[in-house]
Amino acid sequence: MATLCKVMYNVSSRSSLLPKHCVFTTLRSLCSSDASGGDGKSAERVKSGFAAAYEQHSDLRQSGDRSSGDETSFASLLRRSALTQMGPAKDKIVVGKIFHIVNDDLYVDFGGKFHCVCKRPSADGQKYQRGSRVRLRLEDVEMTSRFLGASVDTTLLEADATLLGLIESKTKE
Amino acid sequence: MAAGVLSGVRQVFRGPRLVSAVFSCHGQTLSSASAAVKSAPDTAATEKILNFPLTQPDYFHLSELFTMKDLFEARVHLGHKKGCRHRLMGPYLFGSRLDIDIIDLEQTAEHLQRALNFTAHVAYRGGIILFVSRRRQFSQLIETTARECGEYAHTRYWKGGLLTNAPIQYSPGVRLPDLIVFFSTLNNVFQQHVGIRDAAKMNIPTVGIVDSNCNPSLIAYPVPGNDDTPVAMEMYCRLFKMTINRAKDKRRQMELLKGISASV
């Protein structure tokens, strides 16, 4: 409120030629009218400059608080989810985490419904342990196919991806 | 909702044979002959303990156990591909995006609430709950969950007459489960688990997590949701364990209060 009055004083002192006591009275009346008009309901005069910007930003902040309530609806959660934003899975680069290892098979979870199984690469083979983060190129989120004579698809309960490499995790400050 | 729970629980106690259970008082109140054996205030207090929770829509406050955002983060909404869809799962799906079926979490939240509420009431009344799943990836998790809440699990090969031929395969007076919870309704060859049909034959209510390739028709309390991801299964196990423990603790508390008020 004090800053608002200060700015208004600068604006009016540059533009108007009124004597000082009149400037102070107009300042006080301007500040009081802005305090009530800042709610955006009773302002009669067209605001310009800082006043207009302040009003616009306070309205935006209020509307931002209101729309955060809608974020929890399933439709909006789905729309903003990474899987939807990614689009078709073909040739997309994702980051996965190894959660199980059987000899040379690495089971990687990248955030989809299924995991993918990749062969341990020959380069830097021992660095791939449980919990390592790796880069993958996705082919398919779920490997399914309709065979002749079947009424439903047969699913392999796995995703299909190629291993690109480890993510070198250095301590970032 | 309370009426639905009432009819479900009455069905439970008519079907299986009761031998000796700690809280078998409800079976006795159904047959009026033995009511005269107990003293009047004792029966009234017991009846109040058993009947009062059935009048409340959410007696165990299970709606605070999960939110839809928790379900979303546990990837419960992800279904199989469109070609794997079972025709009866259509109504539970939100839609299909790039051939992947998306399960409607708003419906799932309601169904899960109903299923957990029913499980809590069965556990409160001292019912036996059996967890069943044929997914070998999660069998260890389900068995530890059952152990931690004091209930039973069957995650191995289901022998043919386990429920339907129990008096011959086990012993003549064996007690069957009062509720069967299926964490995955399919067996390893993508056919419906035999236990669903057998439980329906033996009048045992079922709760089941149905994925987009499962048949929800014979299950009493289906919960449409993902049954393939470890995060989702861990969440279901945690929810059922918390529900059952909460219901049993509540029952112990009510029995203690009854004991205190009877001695006073």
Side-chain angles (χ1 to χ4, degrees):
Chain A
M1 178 67 169
T3 48
L4 188 61
C5 294
K6 225 184 287 172
V7 173
M8 289 304 300
Y9 174 78
N10 288 333
V11 166
S12 56
S13 63
R14 252 180 274 128
S15 54
S16 70
L17 299 165
L18 296 168
K20 246 191 180 167
H21 62 274
C22 295
V23 168
F24 278 122
T25 45
T26 37
L27 251 183
R28 208 164 287 122
S29 59
L30 279 170
C31 284
S32 53
S33 68
D34 252 305
S36 56
D39 301 328
K41 303 282 191 291
S42 54
E44 302 272 345
R45 311 161 47 231
V46 174
K47 294 204 165 59
S48 63
F50 182 78
Y54 181 75
E55 240 190 76
Q56 190 188 15
H57 278 284
S58 56
D59 281 346
L60 273 176
R61 201 184 310 139
Q62 280 171 20
S63 59
D65 292 340
R66 258 181 275 119
S67 72
S68 64
D70 298 336
E71 294 294 321
T72 54
S73 87
F74 173 57
S76 57
L77 278 175
L78 183 68
R79 188 156 53 93
R80 286 165 175 73
S81 72
L83 227 55
T84 326
Q85 301 287 327
M86 173 178 87
K90 191 98 176 75
D91 294 331
K92 292 284 190 312
I93 314 286
V94 294
V95 169
K97 201 166 108 160
I98 302 179
F99 68 95
H100 194 241
I101 301 187
V102 177
N103 299 335
D104 274 344
D105 294 324
L106 311 168
Y107 289 70
V108 187
D109 171 30
F110 56 87
K113 183 171 161 86
F114 296 105
H115 56 269
C116 65
V117 186
C118 305
K119 273 264 178 272
R120 192 193 293 265
S122 41
D124 275 344
Q126 290 315 308
K127 283 199 182 166
Y128 294 89
Q129 297 304 327
R130 192 178 291 211
S132 339
R133 293 175 68 218
V134 291
R135 266 171 67 233
L136 305 163
R137 179 186 298 118
L138 274 188
E139 308 298 328
D140 203 354
V141 195
E142 181 184 352
M143 289 194 275
T144 57
S145 182
R146 178 75 57 105
F147 288 97
L148 277 179
S151 52
V152 289
D153 279 8
T154 312
T155 166
L156 278 181
L157 302 178
E158 261 180 35
D160 190 15
T162 13
L163 195 58
L164 294 177
L166 267 177
I167 292 188
E168 301 294 330
S169 58
K170 300 186 179 77
T171 51
K172 294 188 184 86
E173 259 97 333
Chain B
M1 166 120 71
V5 172
L6 248 179
S7 59
V9 174
R10 275 213 203 97
Q11 198 185 20
V12 162
F13 279 90
R14 279 208 193 101
R17 288 161 282 270
L18 290 174
V19 179
S20 66
V22 179
F23 308 118
S24 60
C25 325
H26 189 72
Q28 288 183 340
T29 50
L30 278 180
S31 60
S32 52
S34 44
V37 177
K38 287 210 168 73
S39 56
D42 195 22
T43 334
T46 318
E47 271 199 40
K48 190 161 175 292
I49 291 181
L50 290 175
N51 294 338
F52 178 69
L54 298 177
T55 59
Q56 314 292 308
D58 193 10
Y59 184 67
F60 304 98
H61 307 293
L62 299 167
S63 44
E64 66 196 31
L65 284 182
F66 67 95
T67 60
M68 196 161 58
K69 198 149 165 52
D70 295 337
L71 293 180
F72 190 85
E73 268 149 30
R75 308 180 218 162
V76 167
H77 60 291
L78 296 175
H80 287 267
K81 286 273 176 88
K82 195 169 74 172
C84 301
R85 192 196 299 176
H86 195 282
R87 62 182 179 88
L88 292 172
M89 285 302 288
Y92 299 121
L93 297 180
F94 185 73
S96 157
R97 172 162 170 97
L98 295 167
D99 268 5
I100 302 170
D101 283 338
I102 308 286
I103 295 168
D104 190 359
L105 277 191
E106 311 213 333
Q107 291 188 50
T108 299
E110 289 168 19
H111 282 90
L112 186 58
Q113 168 72 22
R114 267 182 238 151
L116 289 176
N117 192 28
F118 184 70
T119 316
H121 281 276
V122 171
Y124 180 84
R125 300 168 87 92
I128 292 181
I129 300 175
L130 183 67
F131 295 135
V132 175
S133 166
R134 208 50 191 102
R135 294 296 304 262
R136 282 180 275 226
Q137 193 180 2
F138 309 120
S139 71
Q140 169 73 13
L141 172 70
I142 290 166
E143 285 173 354
T144 39
T145 308
R147 189 179 306 131
E148 278 161 20
C149 58
E151 296 295 343
Y152 306 85
H154 185 102
T155 56
R156 313 287 164 172
Y157 176 73
W158 183 280
K159 247 170 105 168
L162 205 132
L163 293 177
T164 45
N165 206 17
I168 298 173
Q169 284 187 0
Y170 297 98
S171 70
V174 74
R175 179 174 168 181
L176 292 178
D178 300 307
L179 170 66
I180 302 186
V181 179
F182 287 91
F183 282 100
S184 165
T185 55
L186 296 180
N187 62 16
N188 287 325
V189 271
F190 300 102
Q191 289 165 347
Q192 198 184 40
H193 199 287
V194 176
I196 296 174
R197 192 199 64 198
D198 283 356
K201 282 185 185 174
M202 301 303 292
N203 274 344
I204 299 172
T206 43
V207 165
I209 313 282
V210 281
D211 204 347
S212 65
N213 57 349
C214 305
N215 183 358
S217 40
L218 275 183
I219 298 167
Y221 292 89
V223 179
N226 185 5
D227 63 1
D228 297 301
T229 316
V231 205
M233 288 305 286
E234 276 162 23
M235 206 191 75
Y236 298 136
C237 287
R238 200 181 64 235
L239 285 176
F240 276 99
K241 185 176 68 176
M242 281 162 74
T243 320
I244 293 170
N245 283 334
R246 213 179 250 214
K248 286 184 172 171
D249 290 340
K250 187 80 189 177
R251 182 56 188 263
R252 252 175 263 138
Q253 189 189 28
M254 298 299 272
E255 289 286 323
L256 271 174
L257 284 174
K258 185 186 93 167
I260 290 168
S261 62
S263 63
V264 158

